[in-house]
Amino acid sequence: MDDGDPIADLVKLLVRLPGVGEKSARRIAFHVLGADPEYARALGQSVATLSTRVRRCGACGAFTSRDLCAICADPRRAVELLCVVARPMDADAIERTRAFAGRYHVLHALLDPLGGVGPAEFPLTPLIDRIQRDGVREVILATPTTVEGEATSLYLADALRGVGVAVSRIASGVPHGGDLEFTDPITLGRALEGRRSL
Ligand code: ZN
């Protein structure tokens, strides 16, 4: 990195964030520069230590600062109802609907043979182990409605056929090609309620 221009260096890092273009990156850089130095230090430290302070929940794979996330540690959440999502932020999106009282399983992957995730690389075993260990009775597939998300849903429906669970897919309503995180809670809540069995 060029030591000559710290602002340009920061802008280069900021534009790699999702949704941040060159113009916003410059605004953020100048804002941080003009703000209380204590704020800049706290911001930097928060970012720098994030990966050591946050880990994956030992049960579901969501991000948490403890061994178990708040949902897995909550005895009121139904263990027999499991919602399978691709990413932690998708579980967050479903939580915001307040329409789901079960638990989550975060894949951290989608089936994408061209991108290097074929059935051999796909983390199927931890999901099946969890279903059997927790006595799960219904699995709701809430992978995104993208090509990879649909392929993953079909693959899982097939793979779980012999496991003795009901398998359903969240209903349409989540726009095709849409990310769960950008779907409003009401639409996503309806998609969850209107799930169809596979
Ligand atoms: Zn968890």
Side-chain angles (χ1 to χ4, degrees):
M1 206 175 266
D2 180 9
D3 282 346
D5 192 347
I7 295 175
D9 290 345
L10 179 57
V11 167
K12 260 189 240 169
L13 291 170
L14 289 171
V15 292
R16 288 163 62 180
L17 293 171
V20 178
E22 178 93 24
K23 203 169 160 185
S24 305
R26 294 201 156 272
R27 273 187 63 202
I28 295 168
F30 282 106
H31 176 82
V32 170
L33 206 51
D36 179 359
E38 187 46 47
Y39 167 74
R41 254 194 302 278
L43 178 66
Q45 200 181 4
S46 176
V47 172
T49 60
L50 197 58
S51 64
T52 56
R53 286 181 298 134
V54 177
R55 62 185 109 169
R56 289 185 186 183
C57 168
C60 75
F63 291 135
T64 175
S65 56
R66 304 169 182 208
D67 291 340
L68 283 183
C69 73
I71 292 169
C72 289
D74 184 349
R76 291 166 302 181
R77 305 292 296 235
V79 285
E80 63 274 8
L81 183 59
L82 191 66
C83 183
V84 175
V85 295
R87 304 167 304 173
M89 64 184 82
D90 298 331
D92 255 21
I94 292 173
E95 272 307 281
R96 286 197 300 272
T97 69
R98 299 172 181 273
F100 183 66
R103 301 192 183 212
Y104 296 96
H105 185 87
V106 184
L107 296 166
H108 291 281
L110 285 173
L111 196 66
D112 179 16
L114 295 177
V117 185
E121 290 78 27
F122 189 82
L124 178 63
T125 309
L127 174 60
I128 291 181
D129 287 351
R130 172 122 190 255
I131 289 169
Q132 290 172 338
R133 192 178 56 239
D134 289 357
V136 173
R137 294 168 63 168
E138 183 182 354
V139 170
I140 302 170
L141 300 172
T143 50
T145 57
T146 56
V147 173
E148 292 82 13
E150 296 290 0
T152 303
S153 164
L154 288 173
Y155 169 73
L156 285 177
D158 194 47
L160 298 179
R161 221 171 283 283
V163 180
V165 283
V167 179
S168 57
R169 173 84 170 119
I170 53 166
S172 54
V174 177
H176 179 72
D179 266 326
L180 267 53
E181 63 174 310
F182 298 128
T183 307
D184 71 273
I186 292 169
T187 304
L188 190 52
R190 282 192 193 130
L192 199 61
E193 278 165 27
R195 62 187 181 269
R196 59 190 158 78
S197 54
L198 296 175

